[in-house]
Amino acid sequence: MHLYQVFRSSSTLAGNNKRLQFCPRCGLAFAEKELEEFARQTCRQCDFVSYLNPDPGITVLIRSSEKKILIGKRSSTARYGNKWCLPGGYIEYEESFIETAHREVREETGLEIRIEGIVNVVSNLLDDYHHTIVIILIGDVAGGRQQPGDDLTELRWIDRDQHERMDYAFAADRKIIDCYFQGSMRVLPIDKRFEPSSSAV
Ligand SMILES: [Zn+2]
């Protein structure tokens, strides 16, 4: 099986669009064109270096007992609005990625989950401002009451045929769900010490 791990829908350099006007530490104006090979600006006054890195996120494949997958429709005001995606979001600085998965699934679907493991990691060079690195997890429902929340306005359990017809926000989601329905997915177990006890069944 081929593992798809890099998705690029932008042809320009994000760094050029993320150039800062002023040093965030001391306020000195950055030189107009100052940018190194890897999109860095360095302050001539305080030596502050502006590093640009991808934003880390998680998504979760949640399975039903009939082996369907849960996806959500993004609100019309969200980026890539009215398209479908797997539940997920950005990792906060204070969280482990496992904690993020539980929080995001709870916020977006109302469900508590039991995470089985990691199925892939992908780079999404989405557009000139958004470059994410996403850990994809797989798990099952362990409780809660299903209700769309946060940026999702509708939830749907899909089988393979329905999956083929969905309009997805992210190419990576389509590929990972393809892989699931092909039955070719391998799972790396997660560190169970960081699983919240509330998700245990
Ligand atoms: Zn400075």
Side-chain angles (χ1 to χ4, degrees), residues 95-190:
E95 292 177 319
S96 73
F97 72 89
I98 296 169
E99 290 167 331
T100 307
H102 287 282
R103 176 180 57 76
E104 287 287 351
V105 168
R106 191 178 302 121
E107 287 174 3
E108 294 189 339
T109 72
L111 297 172
E112 299 296 331
I113 52 169
R114 182 180 50 248
I115 300 171
E116 182 190 352
I118 300 162
V119 293
N120 207 350
V121 177
V122 298
S123 283
N124 290 312
L125 293 101
L126 295 171
D127 56 45
D128 298 348
Y129 290 90
H130 297 98
H131 174 186
T132 62
I133 180 158
V134 180
I135 302 161
I136 300 159
L137 302 165
I138 191 164
D140 304 285
V141 176
R145 195 168 65 86
Q146 187 178 313
Q147 187 174 357
D150 208 1
D151 276 348
L152 300 184
T153 56
E154 186 183 336
L155 296 171
R156 193 178 291 179
W157 289 97
I158 54 163
D159 60 20
R160 189 172 191 162
D161 288 341
Q162 290 165 308
H163 162 60
E164 303 291 341
R165 299 193 296 272
M166 299 312 298
D167 184 15
Y168 287 107
F170 307 109
D173 284 3
R174 176 177 295 285
K175 280 291 182 197
I176 206 75
I177 301 171
D178 278 348
C179 186
Y180 168 79
F181 282 123
Q182 282 163 15
S184 56
M185 191 163 263
R186 286 197 281 175
V187 182
L188 176 70
I190 58 156

